Amino acid sequence: VVAKASLAELTVEDYERTIRINQIGTFLGMRTMAEPMKAGGGGSIVNISSIRGLVGRAGLLAYTATKFAVRGMTKVAALELGEFGIRVNSIHPGAVATRLIGSATPEQVDPNFAHQPIGRIARPAEIAKLAVFLASDDSSYSTGSEFVADGGISAGDPA
């Protein structure tokens, strides 16, 4: 969930709601799966964070805080669960053509994304394929890592 408001305008209720969904939801998912995965001999947890878990954006204080938290929780879980054969990684997508973005499609030229190296938003399948890779044994030596799929926006400002 995204609560768009400046620091001065963000309500405690909106901040707490964002934390409950984005941060506590991730925590509960990992906690729920840890014991069954240990009993099963291992596996892979893939947390979905955001590019906002790496860089902030004005007006997205609560969202950014939760996505940084997901990044940190992923690292701690990787440290705690690695000995049980459980890998834990996070994906940090940029904008993706979902209901959160609205009616935008990857093919539309959106001026908000024209400045990034890949000047469009992601297709959901592009992020899903990265998640499948991280869930598979093909990524067997990756844990505690951030995988960025943001069209190059975190590479820097090309101007």
Side-chain angles (χ1 to χ4, degrees), residues 7-146:
L7 173 62
E9 297 170 343
L10 183 63
T11 67
V12 171
E13 293 78 19
D14 283 343
Y15 186 80
E16 288 177 338
R17 179 175 180 264
T18 305
I19 287 174
R20 279 193 310 275
I21 293 168
N22 295 356
Q23 184 176 336
I24 296 175
T26 300
F27 159 73
L28 291 173
M30 289 193 299
R31 190 179 75 174
T32 299
M33 293 310 302
E35 290 306 317
M37 291 176 84
K38 286 179 188 178
S44 176
I45 296 172
V46 181
N47 291 323
I48 305 298
S49 180
S50 166
I51 190 61
R52 298 297 155 226
L54 300 170
V55 295
R57 183 169 186 176
L60 295 178
L61 182 101
Y63 183 78
T64 299
T66 63
K67 296 307 182 174
F68 264 86
V70 168
R71 179 180 171 207
M73 292 187 307
T74 297
K75 291 183 176 300
V76 172
L79 293 170
E80 293 180 1
L81 299 174
E83 69 179 282
F84 303 102
I86 301 170
R87 298 175 294 105
V88 188
N89 293 291
S90 57
I91 296 177
H92 298 261
V96 181
T98 65
R99 287 180 285 157
L100 189 63
I101 297 294
S103 61
T105 66
E107 291 71 29
Q108 292 172 323
V109 177
D110 186 326
N112 292 316
F113 304 102
H115 67 284
Q116 67 189 36
I118 298 176
R120 63 170 175 82
I121 61 178
R123 295 173 189 88
E126 291 172 304
I127 307 307
K129 288 177 183 179
L130 180 54
V132 168
F133 166 73
L134 291 173
S136 77
D137 289 339
D138 290 339
S139 63
S140 61
Y141 199 62
S142 297
T143 195
S145 298
E146 298 118 1

